[in-house]
Amino acid sequence: MKPTDMDKEGTELTEETEHMIEKNGAKETENVVSAGDTKEMRAVILSGFGGLNKLRVTKKAMPEPQEGEVKIRVKACGLNFLDLMVRQGNIDNPPKTPLVPGFECSGIVEAMGENTKGFEIGDRVMAFVNYNAWAEVVCTPLDYVYNMPDDMTFPEAAAFSMNFVAAYMMLFEVANLREGMSVLVHSAGGGVGQAVAQLCATIPSVTVFGTASSFKHEAIKDSVTHLFDRNADYVQEVKKISPEGVDIVLDCLSGENTGKGLGLLRPLGTYILYGSSNMVTGETKSFFSLAKSWWQVEKVNPIKLYEENKVIAGFSLLNLLFKQGRCGQVKTVVEKLFSLYNQKKIKPVVDSLWALEEVKEAMQRIHDRGNIGKLILDVEKSPTPLVPLGENSTRKKTAGNIPT
Amino acid sequence: MKPTDMDKEGTELTEETEHMIEKNGAKETENVVSAGDTKEMRAVILSGFGGLNKLRVTKKAMPEPQEGEVKIRVKACGLNFLDLMVRQGNIDNPPKTPLVPGFECSGIVEAMGENTKGFEIGDRVMAFVNYNAWAEVVCTPLDYVYNMPDDMTFPEAAAFSMNFVAAYMMLFEVANLREGMSVLVHSAGGGVGQAVAQLCATIPSVTVFGTASSFKHEAIKDSVTHLFDRNADYVQEVKKISPEGVDIVLDCLSGENTGKGLGLLRPLGTYILYGSSNMVTGETKSFFSLAKSWWQVEKVNPIKLYEENKVIAGFSLLNLLFKQGRCGQVKTVVEKLFSLYNQKKIKPVVDSLWALEEVKEAMQRIHDRGNIGKLILDVEKSPTPLVPLGENSTRKKTAGNIPT
């Protein structure tokens, strides 16, 4: 990451990060005292909606499992674009702050509430959590907990849950990916993008068109059939190669891209809106203008769909899990995915591991689209020692190292 | 059919029909003379867009197959709601009149143009035609022609093509019907409705909700899990039985029903708009007001689909075949359907057979939703002898007899 990229969300980022770590080091003692007998844990806290400065690591009372819940000693957490939207309060019905962000983690079962069959203390598990994942300990209903494959590492599991489940359900349950079809995916280098590419490769003769920043092309070129720069006119690029378009468009961009995506569909093709990464920005003004374009996204005329034989869908895994109660369906998908993992047909791509105290830098990296694959918060990792500012680039590399 | 029903589209219907038949009887000789050496055939002609009085049977020059075409001696033709819309000119880019209506037929191969492998003279075939089906002879590209199963009758084949292909593609290619799902279909007694019900029965534990006129309920009650009167508030009725809605809504009603249909979907459910039977009416004024409601059909916000995990699709088999060139995909579907037919898992329901000269009465019957299953024009059938008007009801029954 170049210093100029760092500037996007706030020039004081590095200072902030240093400050946060120092402050938390100092704060820990205070909190332990105030907490009395209650057991404590480290957690990332979002104190209010806004910039990176709303995030800090602090001590919190450790949760205990309620009936039907599993208590997990967290090893790794996934960081998603969605977490940036949460930080900015840029989601539907945002929850109250302060809160602990994070929707997915992996770890070891430490305790169970009543009526929690199927798990034992010591089980290695992957889990969805409705917030609160970015902590040393989480409790979540057993419907959201899955025993991990033996060969899967904790970072892999945390990189796996949201991205692969979303990619699988979009490709095979919302759309109907079959032999010979073609798929367009934006942010092909990101967590979902890489999951989509791998899942497409499990079906014969699927063509994957992807957009990604040019600097990622070398790294991901084997996973995608045709790669375009993210600033290129992807409609034109796709049509040059496939004049009649594609069968499935996965769109995390929002706004004006819905019309473009629908326009690129072949007959019986499916456009899926699953995210909104264009909405995230560091500047308040453009944030609001983008939010406006999101809410004023072009509406679709069903008659046009009828005439053109097209399908438009929306997909939100979190709503499916936490608002719409489709845990059973997701569990079936997780089992299919674990089977594919065990057959070595898919493997989560981990971009980099970060200490909880490095969450701001991790967020900046995903904001700047610097990642290839998934960013993981490694709960047991110590923050990388600070180095002089001039060596930012080297330092980032160290922070992002993946243990082999 | 009661006389009051007949009145809906025009009180002069019966007279018209009689007149048509008589006139055509007289006209035949004239046309033969004027045609010189050209071979002739009987065909239904639509002289202009409008009411039933725009239809008549006349003699026309017999078409000869061009390169890649198959010439078929027609035995039976399907009559669809869409044919009423065509008659009223109530379709996108209506073709020029006069024209011969009809999009599907079955019959015997009589000749082939050059480059038409796969067929032989005498083959029993089912075919799609881009208009011109309602005649003694049609020519159509070989991509639209399929050899019929040995056990299938000509009326069955003509009842099969559009309805079963549309039902199959909607259920299994646009949506993704699987075990345990639920489907809502309107006009459950119609051709598509009966095809949907039969195809749902090929998958375990599928619940079918259907709307139909009450007088049809006894006849179709075994094919549909839950039947509601077509004038009932189906949203409330479905929710009484399944509070969380259904997985697939098939809507041929248009207009205000899109919102209702979307509202009834369970998460990951699919709403498919495939027709517009509410648009057809006999009165010019209400025709325009309905056409307006069609074109002003409620638009759909993709964000709402995202939040609710819903899918909306449009399906037009004719556009797929004749504008979008997806013959290969349709051929695969036809093969699957023939296999299901041969396994006796599906069987087209023929409502009634009509002579070409009875096309107006057949149209009135579908307009009035009197049919259970498909209306077929039986090209070799003679018009049922006229009986005094007072015996309309008996006469209709005779006309509609299905040979056993």
Side-chain angles (χ1 to χ4, degrees):
Chain A
M1 193 186 294
K2 296 172 202 161
T4 46
D5 288 330
M6 302 280 285
D7 292 346
K8 279 186 193 161
E9 191 149 2
T11 49
E12 75 289 80
L13 170 69
T14 313
E15 287 85 343
E16 253 186 31
T17 308
E18 290 174 35
H19 184 61
M20 173 175 75
I21 296 165
E22 285 168 15
K23 212 164 86 179
N24 284 322
K27 264 198 171 172
E28 279 183 25
T29 332
E30 288 166 34
N31 285 355
V32 171
V33 170
S34 66
D37 286 346
T38 318
K39 283 184 190 167
E40 293 207 323
M41 63 170 187
R42 281 159 62 240
V44 174
I45 293 281
L46 180 70
S47 59
F49 299 116
L52 290 172
N53 59 350
K54 302 292 186 185
L55 288 166
R56 59 190 170 88
V57 175
T58 188
K59 291 268 178 180
K60 264 195 69 134
M62 183 180 292
E64 291 304 325
Q66 306 298 305
E67 184 176 347
E69 285 189 347
V70 177
K71 178 182 178 184
I72 300 166
R73 174 66 55 172
V74 179
K75 297 290 184 180
C77 314
L79 199 158
N80 295 290
F81 230 99
L82 188 64
D83 298 309
L84 277 73
M85 292 170 63
V86 168
R87 198 199 70 214
Q88 297 183 334
N90 195 9
I91 53 169
D92 197 32
N93 294 318
K96 283 185 182 161
T97 53
L99 59 82
V100 175
F103 298 105
E104 59 183 344
C105 66
S106 58
I108 292 172
V109 174
E110 191 163 278
M112 280 102 64
E114 285 178 44
N115 296 318
T116 48
K117 284 183 184 160
F119 294 97
E120 292 185 22
I121 291 170
D123 277 356
R124 301 168 75 247
V125 294
M126 174 179 101
F128 292 111
V129 202
N130 197 7
Y131 295 99
N132 294 313
W134 295 355
E136 287 179 317
V137 171
V138 301
C139 292
T140 194
L142 81 164
D143 282 345
Y144 301 124
V145 185
Y146 318 88
N147 281 304
M148 285 163 51
D150 293 340
D151 293 342
M152 191 178 268
T153 66
F154 290 116
E156 278 182 339
F160 190 87
S161 32
M162 284 187 67
N163 293 356
F164 273 87
V165 169
Y168 186 96
M169 295 189 86
M170 290 193 288
L171 290 174
F172 297 108
E173 308 215 337
V174 178
N176 200 343
L177 181 65
R178 282 159 296 170
E179 188 169 345
M181 283 188 168
S182 52
V183 178
L184 168 66
V185 61
H186 296 293
S187 304
V192 174
Q194 285 293 292
V196 164
Q198 290 185 20
L199 288 169
C200 285
T202 66
I203 305 294
S205 309
V206 170
T207 303
V208 181
F209 296 88
T211 67
S213 306
S214 288
F215 77 89
K216 299 185 187 179
H217 286 201
E218 183 60 26
I220 65 173
K221 68 180 189 320
D222 291 339
S223 60
V224 178
T225 323
H226 303 286
L227 263 175
F228 313 122
D229 185 77
R230 62 180 288 256
N231 297 315
D233 179 346
Y234 63 85
V235 173
Q236 288 310 310
E237 296 295 328
V238 169
K239 287 199 168 168
K240 269 186 216 162
I241 297 164
S242 176
E244 63 170 357
V246 297
D247 294 298
I248 300 172
V249 172
L250 303 176
D251 187 2
C252 58
L253 303 176
S254 90
E256 78 269 33
N257 288 281
T258 300
K260 285 188 191 175
L262 278 172
L264 264 181
L265 288 183
R266 300 177 67 192
L268 299 180
T270 303
Y271 167 92
I272 308 178
L273 180 69
Y274 71 96
S276 49
S277 61
N278 267 359
M279 286 176 65
V280 175
T281 170
E283 298 188 55
T284 310
K285 189 178 164 191
S286 61
F287 158 60
F288 277 112
S289 67
L290 279 166
K292 199 175 150 196
S293 85
W294 170 247
W295 293 109
Q296 292 186 344
V297 60
E298 195 184 344
K299 288 186 182 176
V300 175
N301 188 339
I303 307 298
K304 208 171 147 65
L305 299 176
Y306 166 77
E307 286 169 354
E308 298 182 352
N309 278 304
K310 289 181 176 177
V311 184
I312 175 167
F315 184 79
S316 159
L317 180 58
L318 291 184
N319 283 358
L320 200 68
L321 284 167
F322 299 120
K323 288 188 183 171
Q324 296 157 2
R326 298 303 283 257
C327 307
Q329 195 167 352
V330 171
K331 198 172 197 83
T332 308
V333 169
V334 169
E335 283 161 8
K336 287 177 188 168
L337 285 167
F338 281 169
S339 166
L340 288 171
Y341 178 86
N342 287 330
Q343 295 167 53
K344 300 194 190 308
K345 289 186 175 170
I346 57 174
K347 188 176 176 65
V349 177
V350 176
D351 173 72
S352 47
L353 302 179
W354 306 77
L356 291 185
E357 288 77 6
E358 294 166 332
V359 65
K360 295 183 191 183
E361 287 175 285
M363 273 208 172
Q364 186 71 48
R365 181 167 171 82
I366 200 170
H367 174 275
D368 295 337
R369 298 166 193 275
N371 59 305
I372 293 172
K374 188 87 168 191
L375 285 93
I376 297 295
L377 297 178
D378 178 350
V379 177
E380 294 175 349
K381 185 175 182 289
S382 302
T384 307
L386 295 176
V387 291
L389 279 174
E391 294 174 37
N392 248 344
S393 167
T394 318
R395 173 193 168 202
K396 186 65 53 187
K397 221 168 186 172
T398 315
N401 255 2
I402 305 166
T404 47
Chain B
M1 193 186 294
K2 298 170 202 162
T4 46
D5 288 331
M6 303 280 285
D7 291 346
K8 278 186 192 159
E9 190 148 4
T11 49
E12 76 289 83
L13 170 71
T14 313
E15 287 85 342
E16 251 187 33
T17 308
E18 290 174 32
H19 183 63
M20 174 175 76
I21 297 164
E22 285 168 15
K23 213 165 89 181
N24 285 321
K27 262 195 172 175
E28 280 184 23
T29 333
E30 288 167 33
N31 284 357
V32 172
V33 171
S34 67
D37 288 344
T38 317
K39 285 185 190 167
E40 293 207 321
M41 62 170 188
R42 281 159 62 240
V44 174
I45 294 280
L46 180 70
S47 59
F49 299 117
L52 289 171
N53 61 350
K54 303 291 186 185
L55 289 166
R56 59 190 169 88
V57 175
T58 188
K59 290 268 178 179
K60 265 194 69 139
M62 182 181 291
E64 290 303 326
Q66 306 297 304
E67 185 177 347
E69 285 189 348
V70 177
K71 178 182 178 184
I72 299 166
R73 174 67 55 173
V74 179
K75 297 290 184 180
C77 315
L79 199 158
N80 296 291
F81 230 100
L82 187 64
D83 297 309
L84 277 72
M85 293 171 61
V86 167
R87 196 199 72 215
Q88 297 182 333
N90 195 10
I91 53 170
D92 197 33
N93 293 318
K96 282 185 186 164
T97 53
L99 59 81
V100 175
F103 298 106
E104 59 184 343
C105 66
S106 58
I108 293 172
V109 174
E110 192 164 277
M112 280 102 65
E114 285 177 44
N115 296 317
T116 48
K117 283 183 186 161
F119 295 97
E120 292 185 22
I121 291 169
D123 279 354
R124 300 168 74 247
V125 294
M126 175 179 100
F128 293 111
V129 202
N130 197 7
Y131 296 98
N132 294 311
W134 296 354
E136 287 180 316
V137 171
V138 301
C139 292
T140 193
L142 81 164
D143 282 345
Y144 302 124
V145 185
Y146 318 88
N147 280 304
M148 284 164 53
D150 293 340
D151 293 341
M152 191 178 267
T153 66
F154 290 115
E156 278 182 339
F160 190 87
S161 32
M162 283 186 68
N163 292 356
F164 273 86
V165 170
Y168 187 96
M169 295 189 87
M170 289 193 289
L171 291 174
F172 298 107
E173 308 216 335
V174 178
N176 201 344
L177 180 66
R178 282 159 297 170
E179 189 168 345
M181 284 187 169
S182 52
V183 177
L184 169 66
V185 62
H186 297 292
S187 303
V192 174
Q194 285 293 293
V196 165
Q198 291 186 19
L199 288 168
C200 285
T202 66
I203 305 294
S205 309
V206 170
T207 304
V208 180
F209 297 87
T211 67
S213 306
S214 288
F215 77 89
K216 298 185 187 180
H217 287 202
E218 183 59 28
I220 65 173
K221 69 180 190 319
D222 292 338
S223 60
V224 178
T225 323
H226 303 287
L227 262 176
F228 312 122
D229 185 77
R230 62 180 288 256
N231 297 314
D233 180 347
Y234 63 85
V235 173
Q236 289 310 310
E237 296 294 329
V238 169
K239 286 199 168 166
K240 269 185 217 163
I241 297 165
S242 176
E244 63 171 357
V246 296
D247 294 299
I248 301 172
V249 172
L250 303 176
D251 187 1
C252 58
L253 303 177
S254 90
E256 78 269 32
N257 287 281
T258 300
K260 286 188 191 175
L262 278 172
L264 264 182
L265 288 182
R266 299 177 68 192
L268 299 180
T270 304
Y271 167 92
I272 308 179
L273 180 69
Y274 71 94
S276 48
S277 61
N278 268 358
M279 286 176 66
V280 174
T281 170
E283 298 187 56
T284 310
K285 189 179 163 193
S286 61
F287 159 59
F288 277 111
S289 67
L290 279 166
K292 198 175 150 197
S293 84
W294 170 248
W295 293 108
Q296 293 185 346
V297 61
E298 194 185 344
K299 289 185 181 175
V300 175
N301 187 340
I303 306 300
K304 206 170 149 64
L305 300 176
Y306 166 77
E307 286 169 356
E308 299 182 352
N309 278 303
K310 289 181 176 176
V311 184
I312 176 168
F315 184 79
S316 160
L317 180 57
L318 291 184
N319 284 357
L320 199 69
L321 283 167
F322 299 121
K323 286 189 184 170
Q324 296 157 3
R326 298 302 283 255
C327 307
Q329 195 167 352
V330 171
K331 198 173 198 83
T332 308
V333 169
V334 169
E335 284 161 7
K336 287 176 187 168
L337 285 166
F338 281 169
S339 166
L340 288 171
Y341 177 87
N342 287 330
Q343 296 166 51
K344 301 195 191 307
K345 290 186 176 172
I346 56 175
K347 187 175 176 66
V349 177
V350 176
D351 173 72
S352 47
L353 303 178
W354 306 76
L356 291 185
E357 288 77 6
E358 294 166 333
V359 64
K360 295 182 191 184
E361 288 175 283
M363 274 206 171
Q364 187 69 48
R365 182 168 170 82
I366 200 170
H367 174 275
D368 294 337
R369 300 166 191 275
N371 59 304
I372 294 171
K374 187 86 168 196
L375 284 93
I376 297 295
L377 298 177
D378 178 350
V379 178
E380 293 176 347
K381 184 174 183 290
S382 301
T384 306
L386 295 177
V387 291
L389 279 174
E391 294 174 36
N392 249 343
S393 167
T394 319
R395 174 190 166 203
K396 186 65 52 186
K397 221 167 187 174
T398 315
N401 255 3
I402 305 165
T404 46

